[in-house]
Amino acid sequence: HYALGEYDRCLAVTERIDREFRYSKIRDRALVLKGEVHKKRNEMVKSEAAFLSAKNLAETYGHPKVAARAARNLIEVSAAQGRSKDSVAYYQSFFQKYAGSSQAPAAALAALPALKQTGDSDAGLERLEGVSRTMPEGTSA
């Protein structure tokens, strides 16, 4: 449904998974998808809530790839809301936990506007350069 632009139907499925399948190991992925739908709709507060829940659940489940994806999105959606300090905090948390993930280049790039706002753009550019040089295998340049 997401790929077809059927966002209402996609949300219905993700919410059903979250509500009816509390012990399913795909709940974290469903919550990431829910966050993506809200982000597409420019509903950043709802998107952030879904990504935060997804990250926390993925960490509980031991799904670092899902957690990293959700964490990267938290940087983006908080920045989109004009909350640079929160975006930088998400960025710092991301690189403490997921620096080696395939999401690292996107996370480093997503944080640049917030880092510029907080006066730390040089460190952000250095991180982006370092991440670009050591991109995980399988990550598209």
Side-chain angles (χ1 to χ4, degrees):
H1 296 298
Y2 181 81
L4 296 172
E6 298 171 350
Y7 299 133
D8 289 334
R9 293 179 80 181
C10 183
L11 282 177
V13 170
T14 63
E15 289 169 359
R16 181 171 178 239
I17 290 169
D18 191 38
R19 183 180 60 251
E20 295 179 25
F21 300 94
R22 301 295 296 167
Y23 300 103
S24 172
K25 294 293 184 179
I26 66 162
R27 278 183 60 223
D28 56 346
R29 291 169 180 87
L31 289 167
V32 166
L33 191 54
K34 182 178 181 178
E36 294 285 357
V37 169
H38 287 303
K39 188 166 74 167
K40 279 269 192 200
R41 291 179 162 182
N42 204 31
E43 299 167 340
M44 296 305 174
V45 172
K46 290 180 181 179
S47 181
E48 185 174 3
F51 287 131
L52 188 56
S53 293
K55 182 185 86 61
N56 292 339
L57 196 56
E59 289 174 345
T60 300
Y61 287 167
H63 296 160
K65 289 181 181 180
V66 178
R69 182 175 172 192
R72 186 255 308 156
N73 276 288
L74 286 168
I75 298 166
E76 293 175 5
V77 297
S78 58
Q81 295 173 71
R83 296 183 7 249
S84 296
K85 288 182 182 179
D86 292 331
S87 186
V88 170
Y90 284 135
Y91 162 82
Q92 291 168 341
S93 176
F94 178 95
F95 280 99
Q96 287 174 350
K97 295 179 181 179
Y98 309 110
S101 86
S102 63
Q103 298 291 319
L109 186 61
L112 286 179
L115 289 166
K116 183 177 180 181
Q117 287 291 323
T118 60
D120 207 9
S121 58
D122 288 341
L125 290 170
E126 284 179 33
R127 165 101 56 191
L128 181 59
E129 182 181 342
V131 166
S132 297
R133 277 189 272 126
T134 60
M135 288 170 73
E137 191 172 318
T139 302
S140 171

